[in-house]
Amino acid sequence: MEDKKIKMVALDLDGTTLNSQKEISPRTIAAFQNAMRKGTHIVVSTGRTFRSLPAQLFGIEGLEYIVTSNGAHITELATRKTIYENYLTPHAVEEVVRVLRNTSFSIETFVGGKAYIDSAEYEDVVANGSTYRDADYIINTRNPIPHIWDYMIQNKHQIENISINFEFAEDKEKWQRILERIDDITLTSSFKHNFEIGGANTSKAEALRFLMRRLDVEPRELMACGDSPNDIEMIKLAEIGVVVGNASEEMKSLANYVTDTNDNDGVAKAIENFVL
């Protein structure tokens, strides 16, 4: 691929920038710092809430902005100010609750940069773990509250995201068809067991468009790297759409470039290749 001037690099976290130990490698941090010294903006763009971000991120000098909750939120790191919001409408929240309330699926909701889960489910994970999710991640990043559905209705004006987790693939396939009938939502996924529901035009790409206008960056000056369906829109937006080697074949087919795996410095190698 011919040399291009990349002014912004947008990076997914889990499965992409973070390795299997949920850490950013020294080589990746060095690539960030070298790119930022060249004037390139490094923008973390994740499905996580702000309060679920790894502490290591906040020690990387020069990071300016973080896109969270699949594009529902952008935070300016220096001031901790929210500069962009794109939430579900109250009506959409009511419809999601109406459709799902009587199911027994694992439900989480993101409000104010925090991820909430029903107390009964949280206590069950503490006691018994989980067969299909990272129990430690749930325990360390989720905030237990009683009556998750009531909480969502009470906070329907400020819901960033609703996550539904399915133990069995056949349930996910069945419920995709049902959920797609709800108006004014987007349906995406960050791993094979979940759906994440955002607002009508919420996406990492839409949030990045806002940030690119603010920073005078064109799509031809953007590189984006990810591994999951919630990264597709930003990978398509970017001039150089990168997918890590541990992603699915379907994701790789969408990429301009397939880099190494998240456990083998794939993000660092992509930055070294296209920015440095």
Side-chain angles (χ1 to χ4, degrees), residues 1 11 53 64 88 148 159 187 190 215 234 241 248 251 253 265 271:
M1 191 173 290
L11 300 168
L53 294 169
E64 303 160 282
L88 287 96
I148 187 85
I159 302 282
L187 199 61
S190 61
L215 298 173
M234 74 172 183
S248 68
M251 286 299 300
S253 72
D265 293 316
I271 292 172

Side-chain angles (χ1 to χ4, degrees), residues 3-7 38-40 220-222 274:
D3 187 43
K4 297 178 187 297
K5 171 66 174 170
I6 296 299
K7 291 186 181 178
K38 283 188 66 175
T40 301
R220 61 186 169 81
E221 299 167 321
L222 174 68
F274 294 109

Side-chain angles (χ1 to χ4, degrees), residues 126-145:
V126 170
N128 303 308
S130 174
T131 57
Y132 64 103
R133 299 185 66 198
D134 183 339
D136 287 340
Y137 180 71
I138 295 169
I139 292 164
N140 292 323
T141 65
R142 272 41 186 163
N143 298 273
I145 48 160

Side-chain angles (χ1 to χ4, degrees), residues 87-90 93-94 97 109-112 116 145-162:
Y87 297 167
L88 287 96
T89 65
V93 174
E94 289 170 351
V97 170
T109 192
F110 299 174
V111 177
Y116 293 92
I145 48 160
H147 314 302
I148 187 85
W149 300 116
D150 295 342
Y151 179 83
M152 285 163 61
I153 294 298
Q154 290 158 12
N155 292 275
K156 62 187 178 182
H157 291 88
Q158 50 181 340
I159 302 282
E160 299 171 18
N161 191 285
I162 299 167

Side-chain angles (χ1 to χ4, degrees), residues 12-18 22 46 48 137 190 227-228 231 262:
D12 173 54
L13 278 180
D14 294 279
T16 302
T17 305
L18 299 180
K22 305 293 183 187
T46 178
R48 292 188 182 215
Y137 180 71
S190 61
D227 74 311
S228 295
D231 301 315
N262 66 321

Side-chain angles (χ1 to χ4, degrees), residues 119-237:
S119 305
E121 183 181 353
Y122 185 87
E123 289 159 11
D124 181 65
V125 171
V126 170
N128 303 308
S130 174
T131 57
Y132 64 103
R133 299 185 66 198
D134 183 339
D136 287 340
Y137 180 71
I138 295 169
I139 292 164
N140 292 323
T141 65
R142 272 41 186 163
N143 298 273
I145 48 160
H147 314 302
I148 187 85
W149 300 116
D150 295 342
Y151 179 83
M152 285 163 61
I153 294 298
Q154 290 158 12
N155 292 275
K156 62 187 178 182
H157 291 88
Q158 50 181 340
I159 302 282
E160 299 171 18
N161 191 285
I162 299 167
S163 180
I164 315 157
N165 302 284
F166 301 90
E167 185 170 6
F168 304 109
E170 56 267 30
D171 285 332
K172 183 176 176 180
E173 290 169 17
K174 172 189 170 185
W175 279 88
Q176 178 172 0
R177 294 189 293 274
I178 296 168
L179 293 166
E180 283 174 343
R181 297 185 201 130
I182 299 174
D183 291 334
D184 297 327
I185 66 166
T186 54
L187 199 61
T188 188
S189 179
S190 61
F191 77 119
K192 66 180 182 179
H193 289 281
N194 86 335
F195 277 131
E196 294 167 12
I197 298 172
N201 68 338
T202 309
S203 71
K204 294 181 181 184
E206 195 63 27
L208 287 169
R209 286 187 185 98
F210 170 87
L211 208 48
M212 290 160 70
R213 288 192 294 272
R214 184 183 177 104
L215 298 173
D216 194 26
V217 175
E218 300 289 331
R220 61 186 169 81
E221 299 167 321
L222 174 68
M223 181 178 100
C225 188
D227 74 311
S228 295
N230 64 337
D231 301 315
I232 290 172
E233 294 302 318
M234 74 172 183
I235 287 168
K236 287 181 175 177
L237 174 66

Side-chain angles (χ1 to χ4, degrees), residues 19-37:
N19 60 24
S20 297
Q21 284 69 52
K22 305 293 183 187
E23 294 172 347
I24 305 171
S25 74
R27 181 172 176 177
T28 303
I29 292 173
F32 283 8
Q33 291 167 334
N34 289 331
M36 289 186 288
R37 274 195 284 271

